[in-house]
Amino acid sequence: MSLHLRYAAISDRGVVRQGNQDSVFAGPHFIAVADGMGGMAAGDLASAIVINTVARLDVPPPADSVVDELADAVADANRAIRRQVADDPQKEGMGTTLTALWFDGEWFNLVHIGDSRAYRLREGGFEQITVDDTYVQMLVDEGRITAEEAERHPQRSLLLRALGAAEVEPAFQTIKGVPGDRLVLCSDGLSGPVSDADIARTLQNAATPQEAAETLVQQALDAGAPDNVTVLVADVVTEDPGEQRQFIGGAAADARLAESDTAVLRAVKEAEHEGEAEGDAESEAQPKARKHGRVWRTILATFIVLALVAGGGVWWARTQYFIGVSEAGNISLFRGLPFEVAGYRLAWLDIESDRPAADAVDSVESDLESGITVDGPSAAEDEFSALVDPDAGNESLDPLCATAAGETEAVPAAAKDCRDD
Ligand code: MG
């Protein structure tokens, strides 16, 4: 018996973010969600490239080579992102998750990388069928924190794997479809603010995929939607639902990406024609690699360390920022992670101030010692500047007082009015 999908998808910018870096595709044979990341509009581009590349799979899958073709499409998408970064090193760090299902009328072939999720409701039972490629999931797997603690962990969105890295290892699964199954693909903009229990309840109560998708997005918005929210709901049905339009949404369909669209289409085209010519792509990138030799050597060294640590896994660390304390004891901005991974410290000093951490009030000083994570390079620099600038009226730091020599030095908070002397 050949089964069918009845689907609906929505991608919403959310309440806080300026743009939408998620992308979504839904068709009769193929459904996918991608959550892009990286500054300079690169996250939009990454998820749009990936969705536009893998959308070619919305055809009945071949009987004998479905996993190979799925893997090829993902490899093409990754190559297209890498090519964009080689062309424009400012896009370094751009990447995207991908969670996608290719349906043959009986079996789902699932590919997954990152923290976008697939859930299934079957006969009232609700389960997550993907495993997040995140740092907190690793801690849960190792028994170091509970699943509940992971939901509130400050590093919960830190990815261990994403498309855009030099080496990617997506997870593949084959899952049998059963009439009545209701599947959800979503970005972390849903699974972060809305609990699994609430998602399950909505799926149980909604009459149609459209109603389920609308309700879930509304629940994320009601919870403050700090991130882009993308939800795709697909029911497995026995009756042919008739002609259903392909749906493409989020960054992949965003007209505001007009300029980048050209890049998306070019990247997708090139990726499709360069499947066997990966070596060429790498050698074309070499002149730029020489030009930016120091940067690339740093990145290469980083990848080697990361490869040693987690088999190429902790790639995302290099694009994270935190404010902490330098070896000299000064407030400093770092790239990387404020904690050790498998005994390795993955932190790189970016800017060191001449302001000792000891100037900060006790609570901030202890936050600095454990590392204050910041979201993205511009927020990192803003917060760092505000924290170290004595003229910013910053209550996190004890005031500086002029000394006889005209130098400044920190004084205890009790002597706060000394600047007026
Ligand atoms: Mg997200």
Side-chain angles (χ1 to χ4, degrees):
M1 176 175 53
S2 188
L3 301 168
H4 306 274
L5 294 181
R6 200 151 70 103
Y7 54 81
I10 299 170
S11 188
D12 193 289
R13 185 167 56 86
V15 174
V16 175
R17 295 281 166 93
Q18 297 287 323
N20 190 352
Q21 301 200 324
D22 288 357
S23 289
V24 58
F25 176 88
H29 307 281
F30 186 78
I31 52 179
V33 165
D35 178 351
M37 55 214 94
M40 306 286 293
D44 317 34
L45 191 56
S47 77
I49 286 172
V50 168
I51 288 298
N52 281 287
T53 304
V54 297
R56 71 182 192 225
L57 300 178
D58 189 31
V59 291
D64 50 355
S65 58
V66 56
V67 175
D68 286 348
E69 292 208 15
L70 193 52
D72 283 351
V74 175
D76 284 349
N78 197 57
R79 197 176 296 113
I81 297 175
R82 302 283 300 166
R83 186 63 180 266
Q84 287 290 313
V85 177
D87 285 352
D88 179 3
Q90 280 195 308
K91 293 197 170 76
E92 185 241 316
M94 89 174 188
T96 181
T97 71
L98 176 67
T99 300
L101 291 162
W102 200 3
F103 188 52
D104 71 2
E106 183 178 7
W107 294 90
F108 287 99
N109 295 279
L110 181 149
V111 63
H112 168 78
I113 185 163
D115 67 349
S116 298
R117 290 179 173 177
Y119 295 104
R120 179 180 60 200
L121 183 74
R122 174 178 285 175
E123 293 173 357
F126 178 76
E127 75 176 301
Q128 183 181 333
I129 55 179
T130 49
V131 179
D132 294 347
D133 290 318
T134 55
Y135 172 70
V136 292
Q137 182 62 45
M138 185 182 80
L139 296 181
V140 172
D141 293 344
E142 291 174 355
R144 290 160 65 186
I145 61 170
T146 65
E148 290 70 38
E149 286 168 334
E151 282 177 19
R152 295 182 301 273
H153 196 283
Q155 270 86 40
R156 63 186 172 278
S157 54
L158 188 65
L159 293 186
L160 300 185
R161 291 191 186 87
L163 293 179
E167 301 278 334
V168 293
E169 287 178 45
F172 294 93
Q173 278 187 68
T174 308
I175 302 152
K176 196 168 169 54
V178 171
D181 282 355
R182 175 165 279 179
L183 295 152
V184 176
L185 304 185
C186 67
S187 62
D188 65 338
L190 175 73
S191 56
V194 183
S195 71
D196 282 9
D198 287 340
I199 295 173
R201 201 169 306 118
T202 299
L203 294 179
Q204 279 160 350
N205 294 336
T208 62
Q210 184 68 35
E211 184 186 328
E214 284 173 7
T215 310
L216 289 171
V217 169
Q218 192 56 51
Q219 283 174 295
L221 295 173
D222 291 346
D227 195 1
N228 308 138
V229 189
T230 298
V231 178
L232 188 163
V233 180
D235 285 355
V236 178
V237 297
T238 49
E239 273 187 31
D240 189 341
E243 181 132 343
Q244 288 183 101
R245 283 193 181 178
Q246 287 185 337
F247 176 84
I248 190 155
D254 194 336
R256 285 170 301 175
L257 277 177
E259 198 185 328
S260 302
D261 274 347
T262 315
V264 170
L265 295 176
R266 185 165 55 85
V268 170
K269 221 174 208 143
E270 284 171 358
E272 285 172 357
H273 288 91
E274 287 177 8
E276 302 93 40
E278 195 168 2
D280 291 350
E282 292 300 329
S283 63
E284 272 187 42
Q286 276 176 12
K288 278 183 191 298
R290 273 196 292 277
K291 192 170 154 194
H292 301 278
R294 198 172 63 80
V295 175
W296 286 104
R297 268 200 304 281
T298 309
I299 294 167
L300 183 63
T302 305
F303 275 120
I304 290 169
V305 171
L306 298 180
L308 287 171
V309 171
V314 196
W315 161 69
W316 209 248
R318 196 70 178 79
T319 63
Q320 303 298 307
Y321 290 83
F322 71 93
I323 302 167
V325 184
S326 69
E327 282 184 16
N330 295 328
I331 300 171
S332 301
L333 180 61
F334 293 85
R335 279 178 177 241
L337 310 176
F339 46 81
E340 289 188 350
V341 178
Y344 287 83
R345 183 161 158 73
L346 301 177
W348 299 267
L349 184 64
D350 212 29
I351 307 171
E352 182 176 21
S353 76
D354 52 9
R355 192 88 200 244
D359 280 7
V361 297
D362 287 351
S363 61
V364 173
E365 188 181 355
S366 80
D367 285 349
L368 285 166
E369 274 160 13
S370 46
I372 301 169
T373 51
V374 254
D375 188 16
S378 56
E381 285 186 17
D382 289 350
E383 283 193 40
F384 175 70
S385 306
L387 204 48
V388 299
D389 180 3
D391 296 323
N394 194 327
E395 292 181 4
S396 301
L397 291 171
D398 291 332
L400 294 176
C401 292
T403 64
E407 299 284 316
T408 55
E409 65 178 6
V411 299
K416 218 167 184 168
D417 295 333
C418 62
R419 289 176 69 86
D420 299 330
D421 290 348

